[in-house]
Amino acid sequence: MKAEFRINYDPKTGFVFNENVENVQPFLFQSFENNLYRFFLKGVILNFKHLVAEYGTASNCTDLISYLYEKFGSGFSSEFSGEFCGYLYDKREEKLFVFANLSASQTVFYHYYNRHLFIDTDLLSLKNSLDKHAAPYSADIEAAYCLLTLNSLPGNLTLLKDVKKLSGGEQLFFDAKAGRVAIEKIEDLSYVDAFSGNKQEAIHTLEDLFIRAVRQEYDFDLDRNLEHFALLSGGLDSRMGVLYAKNLGYSHHQALCFSHSGYWDETIATTIAEREQIPLKVVHLDGGDFLKNIDRLCSITQGLTNYTGGVHSEYALSTIDFSGEGLIHSGHLGDAVLGSYLSSDKKNPASAALYKMIASKRYLPKIEPLLSQLVALSPSEEAFLLYNRGFNFINVGNYVAENFSIAVSPFMHNDFLRFALSLPEKWRFNENIYIEWIRECSPAAANYIWERTLMRPDKVWKTRYGDQLKVRLYHLFFDKILNRPYACNMAPYEYYFKTNLDIAKYFDLYFSENIHLIQDQPLKNDCIAMYQTGGFNEKTMVLSLLGSYKLLFG
């Protein structure tokens, strides 16, 4: 169970606030109300103790939040680092501030019409409020085609045309007295001041900021007498957090790896766990029966992404007993902030990002005008991908984790995120500075093979060599020659689909039972054509749309 909040405003009756924290762990939300303010935050503020020490307030939510708001005004939430969204209502001024963190890792949806305001962390709940109050909305057909093309919705779109979501670093401001609503960008990671020091200084700063972020994450658990739980795979990002935590003296209660049996993610994670004495649970994805969990995942993704992006992690996390466990420590988006979204060592225009976003070209012409508009708003390829792929698609892992605890990553700590993105593209291209940082400051992390390159990450040249030669030859041998695609992917969905006939039967049944939910005839015809003639990926894109329509309109 996760925390939720809902806010409705009617000019005749005023505000109605609702928070649902039933059966939610007390460390997963904060709130207070007095004669001046009403405040609610779902998620975690990891730098809470740091802020208390910095500003000299009492160590409680009421004093700290009140001080920050009175000192910084509307931008007070930018002081928080963590995974959260929330609101503050100033009773004297009748002003409401609804905020998201820098990555919008927890959803906030809103609808404003004729001075009536609806805000909700759950899209279905908001839609039900609109129905109850006879507020206008409609299906967004263009957004539906985005889901059939990009695997996720770009910008602030939802499948409801008149409902938007807060993007990373955004805040909804509502002045009830003036009847004015505005979406404010509190902080935009597209425009970070460039670092002016040398590379050695940059590496040392990355080290210091990462250590601080890891300490804040793990101390959060300790302060609440909770065990340390982490995700561990064969990638770089997860091992960094786990190994730094171990070196800082933290002891993991359990780590989790999920993968097709025998794939590199399992073998590498197992090797790390054995050598570093970390208890590891491995959940095998073999067979892929979890791919039938369409309804479950669509209720989590709320139509924002293809359901397959998080279905394997939801299956794995559901095997864990989280009683007594703290946060879910991950390495979320480490590669992205350290260079993987760069296609060259220079700042490229946002248009260069489009080919990385497109999952199916079948209906691309139907959304090209929208994509052109979004590209024009972004200053670079990396910025476009960070917000539209990293925060809008990869964040599905956070949406899933929120149903069990809260997923955190030291790479997503505000200070680390800002600093990493300030570094020159020529340093971060091919994640070069990532490898140099590891080699200099965390050689233990380089002792183990990197799943992406199938080589140890101890030399910069190995990244390109592994990507362009070794991994391609490996895939050619195992996939094409030996016909063993399961040896080339932690979650070989298409292999499961082709070999587990129950999945195909279930897909066909789900499609036939739900295609009627699409009322727009051209869209319906396109979904039929895409499902009947497309491969696995296109079929699941259609099923994701149908599952989302079933959630919202069924």
Side-chain angles (χ1 to χ4, degrees):
M1 186 66 181
K2 60 179 181 177
E4 306 279 11
F5 68 81
R6 180 173 67 252
I7 306 169
N8 293 344
Y9 175 81
D10 184 309
K12 294 181 179 179
T13 58
F15 284 101
V16 176
F17 297 91
N18 288 282
E19 295 92 22
N20 182 6
V21 295
E22 184 178 359
N23 299 321
V24 177
Q25 293 272 38
F27 66 88
L28 297 180
F29 66 93
Q30 295 193 50
S31 65
F32 75 87
E33 184 172 14
N34 55 28
N35 62 331
L36 297 177
Y37 310 119
R38 182 184 180 108
F39 175 84
F40 183 83
L41 179 142
K42 57 172 290 190
V44 295
I45 302 175
L46 296 174
N47 63 337
F48 188 91
K49 291 196 303 183
H50 172 80
L51 292 173
V52 166
E54 181 177 357
Y55 295 115
T57 70
S59 185
N60 63 71
C61 179
T62 303
D63 283 9
L64 177 62
I65 304 306
S66 298
Y67 175 86
L68 292 177
Y69 174 64
E70 290 162 8
K71 178 178 177 62
F72 296 106
S74 64
F76 75 99
S77 64
S78 65
E79 293 292 302
F80 305 152
S81 187
E83 305 298 331
F84 59 83
C85 63
Y87 72 83
L88 182 142
Y89 176 53
D90 185 329
K91 296 181 178 181
R92 294 171 299 182
E93 300 295 328
E94 295 184 47
K95 292 180 178 179
L96 175 70
F97 304 89
V98 183
F99 51 85
N101 69 346
L102 283 179
S103 64
S105 58
Q106 299 189 17
T107 54
V108 180
F109 304 98
Y110 60 91
H111 177 284
Y112 184 68
Y113 174 77
N114 197 22
R115 297 193 68 179
H116 288 71
L117 178 65
F118 300 86
I119 297 169
D120 210 309
T121 51
D122 182 84
L123 184 58
L124 177 60
S125 174
L126 188 145
K127 184 258 185 187
N128 291 337
S129 294
L130 297 180
D131 288 337
K132 179 180 178 181
H133 293 85
Y137 67 90
S138 60
D140 190 327
I141 304 304
E142 193 171 39
Y145 279 107
C146 286
L147 205 57
L148 297 177
T149 304
L150 307 176
N151 266 331
S152 61
L153 301 187
N156 63 356
L157 294 183
T158 75
L159 289 175
L160 302 180
K161 189 171 186 178
D162 307 284
V163 176
K164 306 301 180 186
K165 74 175 180 69
L166 288 183
S167 296
E170 283 188 345
Q171 176 174 265
L172 183 149
F173 167 69
F174 180 61
D175 185 333
K177 290 180 180 178
R180 183 173 68 89
V181 65
I183 303 301
E184 304 171 334
K185 196 72 170 179
I186 300 301
E187 183 169 356
D188 192 341
L189 293 170
S190 302
Y191 302 95
V192 178
D193 292 337
F195 176 67
S196 59
N198 60 48
K199 187 183 290 188
Q200 199 62 35
E201 291 171 339
I203 289 173
H204 289 161
T205 302
L206 287 172
E207 174 77 356
D208 292 343
L209 293 176
F210 197 79
I211 288 173
R212 183 197 305 173
V214 171
R215 286 191 186 278
Q216 288 183 2
E217 285 184 17
Y218 282 79
D219 284 347
F220 185 95
D221 292 341
L222 292 181
D223 292 342
R224 292 155 183 81
N225 296 314
L226 299 169
E227 300 283 3
H228 301 313
F229 176 86
L231 302 180
L232 184 61
S233 68
L236 280 189
D237 304 338
S238 65
R239 78 178 66 171
M240 288 292 284
V242 167
L243 293 178
Y244 268 79
K246 180 178 182 294
N247 291 339
L248 292 170
Y250 301 100
S251 178
H252 292 90
H253 178 246
Q254 187 175 200
L256 171 67
C257 171
F258 43 95
S259 168
H260 187 86
S261 60
Y263 181 65
W264 288 100
D265 271 305
E266 178 187 4
T267 58
I268 296 169
T270 300
T271 300
I272 294 173
E274 289 176 351
R275 291 184 185 175
E276 305 294 340
Q277 298 183 316
I278 298 170
L280 179 70
K281 176 175 181 176
V282 178
V283 174
H284 290 141
L285 304 177
D286 302 41
D289 280 331
F290 55 85
L291 287 169
K292 294 184 283 188
N293 297 340
I294 302 172
D295 288 338
R296 171 62 176 155
L297 264 294
C298 286
S299 71
I300 293 173
T301 66
Q302 305 178 84
L304 298 176
T305 73
N306 188 325
Y307 89 94
T308 58
V311 69
H312 58 323
S313 60
E314 196 278 336
Y315 167 71
L317 288 169
S318 68
T319 67
I320 302 296
D321 179 3
F322 276 91
S323 57
E325 302 286 2
L327 303 173
I328 299 173
H329 299 279
S330 76
H332 185 59
L333 286 179
D335 57 345
V337 302
L338 287 170
S340 70
Y341 285 162
L342 298 171
S343 60
S344 75
D345 61 0
K346 298 179 177 62
K347 180 173 287 189
N348 293 307
S351 57
L354 289 181
Y355 80 95
K356 296 183 180 180
M357 292 283 296
I358 296 167
S360 169
K361 294 182 179 180
R362 186 184 293 248
Y363 302 129
L364 176 60
K366 295 179 182 292
I367 65 168
E368 281 181 329
L370 170 65
L371 293 179
S372 295
Q373 294 172 18
L374 293 173
V375 162
L377 297 174
S378 186
S380 69
E381 168 195 36
E382 183 177 43
F384 187 87
L385 288 172
L386 184 66
Y387 279 93
N388 290 289
R389 180 169 176 78
F391 297 165
N392 278 4
F393 181 45
I394 309 301
N395 260 352
V396 67
N398 292 72
Y399 304 159
V400 167
E402 195 181 351
N403 292 271
F404 303 94
S405 178
I406 294 289
V408 295
S409 166
F411 296 100
M412 299 305 292
H413 188 287
N414 284 9
D415 293 337
F416 188 93
L417 190 56
R418 292 169 183 139
F419 183 75
L421 293 173
S422 78
L423 300 178
E425 286 83 1
K426 64 180 180 180
W427 292 356
R428 292 186 293 122
F429 179 55
N430 279 331
E431 298 165 71
N432 286 353
I433 198 167
Y434 197 177
I435 304 302
E436 293 177 72
W437 167 35
I438 289 174
R439 186 174 60 194
E440 180 169 335
C441 300
S442 183
N447 287 336
Y448 307 100
I449 290 173
W450 182 10
E451 180 268 343
R452 172 178 148 183
T453 63
L454 303 184
M455 305 175 77
R456 289 174 53 199
D458 55 358
K459 297 287 191 301
V460 167
W461 64 266
K462 288 185 176 182
T463 304
R464 177 171 290 188
Y465 176 81
D467 285 345
Q468 297 185 359
L469 185 61
K470 186 167 185 176
V471 172
R472 290 183 182 183
L473 290 174
Y474 177 88
H475 284 194
L476 175 66
F477 181 72
F478 280 94
D479 189 7
K480 303 302 181 182
I481 298 177
L482 296 185
N483 194 28
R484 291 168 56 186
Y486 51 85
C488 303
N489 197 317
M490 68 167 287
Y493 288 164
E494 190 165 0
Y495 170 75
Y496 298 153
F497 175 71
K498 290 179 178 179
T499 57
N500 184 344
L501 298 183
D502 286 343
I503 297 175
K505 291 178 182 178
Y506 185 85
F507 279 11
D508 288 345
L509 179 63
Y510 195 93
F511 176 81
S512 63
E513 289 181 342
N514 294 288
I515 188 62
H516 72 279
L517 294 170
I518 298 182
Q519 298 299 304
D520 182 88
Q521 194 60 47
L523 174 62
K524 183 177 182 179
N525 292 340
D526 285 342
C527 285
I528 292 172
M530 188 172 188
Y531 185 82
Q532 290 180 344
T533 63
F536 172 80
N537 289 333
E538 288 194 327
K539 289 182 188 296
T540 60
M541 294 166 88
V542 174
L543 295 176
S544 295
L545 181 62
L546 295 185
S548 302
Y549 267 51
K550 181 179 179 182
L551 173 73
L552 296 172
F553 307 119

